[in-house]
Amino acid sequence: MSSLLSIKFRRAGILPCVLFFVVVLLVACTGSPWNDPYPEQDDKQAVLYMSFAERPKHLDPAVAYSENEYAFIAQIYEPPLQYHYLKRPYELTPLTAARLPEIIYYDKESQKLGPDAEAKDIAYSDYLLEIKPGIRFQPHPAFAQDKAGNYRYHRLDKAEVDALATVSDFAETATRELTAEDYVYQIKRLAYPKTQSPIAEIMKGYIIGFDDFAKQSADKPKDALRALPMTGVEALDRYHYRIRIKGKYPQFSYWLAMPFFAPMPWEADAFYDQPGFSDKNITLDWYPVGTGPYYLAENNPNRRMMMFKNPNFHLEAYPAEGEVGDAEKGLLQDAGKALPFIEKVVVTLEKETIPNWSKFLQGYYDSSGIASDSFDQAVQFTGGGVILTESLKEKDIRLHTSVETSIFYMGFNMLDATVGGDSEKARKLRQAIAIAIDYEEFIAIFRNERGVPAQGAIPPGIFGNEEGEAGINSYVYDWMNGKPQRKSIDTARKLIAEAGYPNGVDPKTGEPLILYFDTTATSVDDKPLMNWYRKQFQKLGLQLVIRATDYNRFQQKMSAGNAQIFVWGWNADYPDPENFFSLLYGFNGKVKHSGENAGNYQNAEFDRLFEQMRNMENGEPRLQIIRQMQEIVRRDVPWVFGFHPKTFSLYHGWASNLKPNLMANNRLKYIRIDPIKRAELRRQWNRPVLWPLAAAGALVVLLFAPAVSAYRRRTHRLLPEALAIQTEASR
């Protein structure tokens, strides 16, 4: 009888309902949120969670040159110098070097000169670098040796290669000490034509013997690079090496803080150069080999990339000093403590901004930018600036803003017959356009106020940029009520009339003057921006024709000097005004010299001052020259100085030691995470909402109740008959 009733009971639906509520209660009592994408054991570890939208193309420090690539390789590779994390203005400090390089000057007769020698007397400069002993590379199969001292994995046969899938498939790894020769070898790789380093052409102009080495090594295999000497670069002993450059070039020290000059063990190059490895992405571009605080443990760019703490990382301490106010902000609480604080970095692919934003709010990413579609959810603008919304404040989310050391500008092709040249007519036309293009409006509409109108060629944070009235572009702005005010459109119309185009009319045709804007903005989403540009020119009666092309065609037009007006940008390679003024130096013209002077601007006085300024140390004499150079380009208007982008970054309150540093790319080692606080807040923010499930369960019970009641009545009626049948059967 009990068996019969049990079967009927389950059929009535009561047992599934009970089981459903039991499961709900059990899941609700577990520690992890239902939507947690990470392993539960990570809750107590110092793991940093980030996202990326586009896979890095190169992880070889001789080739990589983009921001998304540096986000990884700067944590893995270590050049001899780095930027101080806290100090401003930006200051170079030793990284693997024992101290800043010693610089010795020589004349044409190889006679040593004093440190105060004039640049014209200096034929070449020696940079002497000493590497700290005891620094070791990350564990890697390239270093593994057998008992006889032979490298185990440098000469694999086809069958052994076919059995591999990733670099983690190798059974053994090893390490060795960093030496000066590793830095010398990397510089040779920069010169080696088959590497195709983007800075090879630049370095030919500075490092002695660089060009000769490139020619001599062009037809040689990689394994010949070690033995082939480069005149200007040599290892003096195990921990010392010398780089000799042409003349005096103080900015070369900044290059020594870039990943291009990070060390490369020859063993890694030989290991990855084996046949069949590139077919499996077992290359330096996929699996870097460095001495930095992290190594790349997983490279799956279609899903995630993971970096683990390098077990061989050398002793490095958190800075003990910074700017005024850093101590009050808690930025010196970890002074002197060993780096890094993060044990593991998990970087997940997020192609869409909305899922990325949602996961940040749920606590599954530790930091986030602010996309345009979530801007209003994140920040509000007040008379005093920008503040977080109340919902983000309640989550203890912090906002960090900083003006980037970069500039976006509208350029004129100075070789063009209409907008170019140094005639007063063309100059006034450019000045009028500079006033008419309202970049304050541009920043408000297209940048969500994330930008600062540029007053000259040098961004904030770079020596030579001046704030206040002393730093304004007086050809475009007036100083009013303690801030710059763009000149009226009437002033621009007067200038364009003086240029010979009253009301924008070309006297040759009697029609509005037609100007051409070359751009790569070809998508439908770019249409509002292009319409905005047209309206700016229409203020002066000018007709702007948009000539949109793909990037390759655009580059060809720029190289040939066939573009008339264009938009360009530049990010600082190093924090020096020379890096930006070089974009206006005549001998860097794109058409004549294949340089970065995209507008082909040339002014003899500017060029003379540039050559004088570039080799000077920062100080009042250099600042005076910079002011003269700013005045020249403001008057000539080879650029409409657009804006300096402003970054808005959000961090959860469990992250600390956060300070924007626009020059240092190796910032992750300084960040600290409180995983216990993060885990608790994640649970609070992601508690499952159970009442809909409970309501649904109750509804199910109510729906089944009449059936259960009817069943029970029928059971009571049939029970005597069932017992009688069962008794009769037992007889």
Side-chain angles (χ1 to χ4, degrees):
M1 182 180 68
S2 61
S3 172
L4 179 64
L5 290 177
S6 175
I7 293 171
K8 296 291 186 178
F9 191 67
R10 286 197 298 271
R11 285 179 180 173
I14 301 301
L15 187 58
C17 292
V18 173
L19 290 175
F20 171 80
F21 283 112
V22 170
V23 170
V24 167
L25 290 172
L26 287 174
V27 174
C29 292
T30 59
S32 296
W34 295 2
N35 61 346
D36 193 340
Y38 308 119
E40 188 173 353
Q41 59 267 27
D42 283 2
D43 284 356
K44 296 181 180 179
Q45 295 183 15
V47 183
L48 182 67
Y49 297 100
M50 304 165 61
S51 65
F52 69 103
E54 183 180 0
R55 67 166 289 258
K57 185 178 180 180
H58 298 291
L59 295 178
D60 180 346
V63 183
Y65 203 14
S66 67
E67 187 175 353
N68 69 325
E69 294 164 346
Y70 277 15
F72 292 94
I73 67 173
Q75 325 309 324
I76 297 167
Y77 288 104
E78 293 186 303
L81 307 181
Q82 65 180 340
Y83 290 96
H84 196 286
Y85 182 56
L86 300 177
K87 289 185 178 180
R88 305 292 182 275
Y90 295 108
E91 179 181 304
L92 287 174
T93 62
L95 181 49
T96 60
R99 59 190 61 84
L100 293 177
E102 179 185 1
I103 306 172
I104 303 175
Y105 303 125
Y106 295 90
D107 63 16
K108 293 179 181 179
E109 285 73 39
S110 297
Q111 297 296 313
K112 186 176 179 179
L113 300 174
D116 298 327
E118 294 188 22
K120 63 182 179 62
D121 297 327
I122 299 173
Y124 53 89
S125 307
D126 275 1
Y127 283 71
L128 304 178
L129 292 114
E130 178 185 356
I131 302 304
K132 299 171 186 174
I135 298 175
R136 304 187 73 79
F137 284 98
Q138 68 183 66
H140 196 275
F143 302 118
Q145 299 179 13
D146 59 22
K147 293 181 179 179
N150 300 311
Y151 288 98
R152 298 187 63 88
Y153 304 120
H154 280 207
R155 296 181 181 273
L156 301 179
D157 59 35
K158 186 178 184 302
E160 290 173 313
V161 173
D162 289 344
L164 298 171
T166 72
V167 75
S168 60
D169 289 339
F170 292 90
E172 295 184 29
T173 62
T175 184
R176 72 161 171 82
E177 187 183 32
L178 172 70
T179 68
E181 187 61 47
D182 297 315
Y183 286 96
V184 173
Y185 183 75
Q186 171 68 353
I187 297 174
K188 292 179 179 179
R189 293 183 72 243
L190 297 177
Y192 187 45
K194 293 180 182 178
T195 304
Q196 297 185 334
S197 174
I199 68 162
E201 287 299 318
I202 299 173
M203 289 300 109
K204 283 180 182 178
Y206 290 110
I207 298 177
I208 290 177
F210 193 97
D211 194 19
D212 291 338
F213 185 92
K215 294 173 182 176
Q216 295 169 18
S217 64
D219 59 350
K220 290 182 170 56
K222 282 184 181 179
D223 58 13
L225 299 186
R226 291 177 65 205
L228 190 64
M230 183 183 291
T231 307
V233 183
E234 64 173 329
L236 304 176
D237 57 36
R238 187 171 181 82
Y239 302 117
H240 296 81
Y241 69 105
R242 173 182 62 86
I243 305 175
R244 176 165 289 183
I245 67 170
K246 301 171 185 177
K248 181 181 180 181
Y249 181 48
Q251 293 79 15
F252 187 72
S253 292
Y254 294 123
W255 285 97
L256 296 176
M258 298 178 71
F260 291 116
F261 288 87
M264 180 59 63
W266 71 268
E267 295 94 333
D269 229 2
F271 171 82
Y272 285 122
D273 201 36
Q274 297 181 77
F277 272 28
S278 61
D279 296 336
K280 296 173 177 289
N281 285 328
I282 302 178
T283 65
L284 269 174
D285 262 341
W286 208 263
Y287 297 105
V289 185
T291 62
Y294 299 99
Y295 70 93
L296 190 61
E298 179 183 325
N299 187 353
N300 182 359
N302 294 319
R303 180 170 173 255
R304 71 179 182 187
M305 301 174 72
M306 290 202 300
M307 293 182 287
F308 290 176
K309 181 179 177 180
N310 178 4
N312 297 334
F313 187 56
H314 56 91
L315 179 63
E316 184 183 2
Y318 187 89
E321 56 182 351
E323 284 187 292
V324 174
D326 281 350
E328 290 75 10
K329 296 174 184 176
L331 289 168
L332 291 174
Q333 290 183 353
D334 286 321
K337 294 180 181 178
L339 299 175
F341 300 122
I342 303 296
E343 297 289 331
K344 181 169 70 172
V345 182
V346 179
V347 193
T348 306
L349 177 66
E350 289 286 359
K351 292 185 177 181
E352 303 295 332
T353 58
I354 293 177
N356 187 86
W357 178 248
S358 297
K359 290 176 185 177
F360 171 71
L361 294 180
Q362 291 168 335
Y364 295 129
Y365 291 138
D366 297 313
S367 62
S368 174
I370 308 177
S372 56
D373 50 14
S374 56
F375 201 80
D376 291 339
Q377 293 178 259
V379 297
Q380 297 173 336
F381 288 94
T382 65
V386 59
I387 60 172
L388 285 172
T389 57
E390 289 301 319
S391 60
L392 266 61
K393 287 180 182 178
E394 291 174 1
K395 287 179 172 284
D396 193 27
I397 291 174
R398 318 288 173 82
L399 172 66
H400 292 256
T401 65
S402 58
V403 180
E404 296 182 24
T405 50
S406 60
I407 185 171
F408 282 87
Y409 62 89
M410 175 175 282
F412 298 101
N413 181 3
M414 299 300 282
L415 302 178
D416 183 78
T418 303
V419 300
D422 61 356
S423 68
E424 194 65 18
K425 177 179 181 177
R427 185 179 294 110
K428 287 189 175 182
L429 172 61
R430 296 192 297 267
Q431 289 175 354
I433 293 172
I435 294 171
I437 300 178
D438 188 347
Y439 269 104
E440 287 80 6
E441 183 179 88
F442 177 96
I443 293 167
I445 296 174
F446 299 105
R447 297 281 305 175
N448 288 113
E449 301 289 354
R450 288 176 288 186
V452 175
Q455 301 292 334
I458 304 175
I462 305 293
F463 182 81
N465 176 277
E466 297 184 272
E467 297 182 356
E469 187 173 3
I472 72 164
N473 179 359
S474 60
Y475 294 91
V476 178
Y477 290 88
D478 294 315
W479 188 257
M480 299 178 64
N481 301 319
K483 61 181 180 180
Q485 178 70 45
R486 184 174 292 272
K487 291 180 183 291
S488 69
I489 195 65
D490 289 337
T491 303
R493 288 169 180 156
K494 180 180 178 183
L495 282 168
I496 203 169
E498 293 173 358
Y501 306 103
N503 298 317
V505 174
D506 185 350
K508 295 179 183 179
T509 64
E511 301 290 335
L513 176 65
I514 298 176
L515 299 177
Y516 298 93
F517 179 35
D518 289 275
T519 177
T520 58
T522 58
S523 73
V524 176
D525 294 337
D526 294 317
K527 188 175 180 180
L529 176 59
M530 296 302 104
N531 287 337
W532 183 85
Y533 277 121
R534 288 192 187 97
K535 290 178 181 178
Q536 306 308 300
F537 282 77
Q538 286 171 0
K539 295 175 187 176
L540 302 174
L542 303 174
Q543 181 178 344
L544 186 68
V545 176
I546 307 295
R547 299 193 295 199
T549 57
D550 61 61
Y551 185 70
N552 289 335
R553 176 60 180 150
F554 176 75
Q555 289 280 47
Q556 291 171 3
K557 294 179 76 171
M558 294 296 294
S559 297
N562 293 329
Q564 188 179 61
I565 301 173
F566 57 92
V567 170
W568 209 269
W570 188 261
N571 294 317
D573 292 310
Y574 44 86
D576 192 271
E578 184 261 356
N579 192 222
F580 289 88
F581 280 143
S582 66
L583 307 176
L584 295 162
Y585 180 50
F587 294 97
N588 285 339
K590 185 167 285 292
V591 172
K592 292 183 180 180
H593 306 284
S594 300
E596 295 296 341
N597 181 350
N600 305 291
Y601 173 65
Q602 187 158 17
N603 179 294
E605 179 63 9
F606 180 89
D607 290 348
R608 184 188 70 80
L609 292 170
F610 176 80
E611 291 167 1
Q612 182 181 353
M613 179 278 306
R614 69 190 308 178
N615 294 322
M616 296 176 67
E617 304 293 338
N618 288 343
E620 188 61 29
R622 195 183 197 207
L623 181 59
Q624 290 299 330
I625 294 175
I626 289 171
R627 286 170 176 163
Q628 295 177 55
M629 297 173 71
Q630 291 273 47
E631 172 64 19
I632 291 171
V633 294
R634 286 166 176 163
R635 186 179 78 93
D636 283 354
V637 201
W639 296 352
V640 176
F641 303 111
F643 65 96
H644 308 296
K646 194 172 185 180
T647 59
F648 284 33
S649 300
L650 299 173
Y651 294 89
H652 283 289
W654 55 69
S656 57
N657 295 341
L658 301 167
K659 183 173 183 177
N661 189 315
L662 301 171
M663 297 309 303
N665 294 293
N666 58 345
R667 299 183 291 270
L668 297 189
K669 62 186 177 183
Y670 302 105
I671 299 175
R672 182 183 285 281
I673 293 290
D674 183 344
I676 306 301
K677 181 179 180 181
R678 176 172 60 192
E680 175 57 33
L681 289 174
R682 279 180 181 173
R683 283 191 288 270
Q684 292 180 23
W685 298 341
N686 296 280
R687 283 176 179 158
V689 181
L690 299 179
W691 69 262
L693 296 177
L699 181 60
V700 169
V701 172
L702 291 173
L703 290 173
F704 275 96
V708 171
S709 179
Y711 166 75
R712 292 181 65 184
R713 288 195 300 272
R714 183 170 180 273
T715 300
H716 284 296
R717 187 174 66 251
L718 295 176
L719 183 57
E721 298 177 13
L723 288 173
I725 293 171
Q726 187 174 2
T727 302
E728 185 65 28
S730 64
R731 291 175 181 175

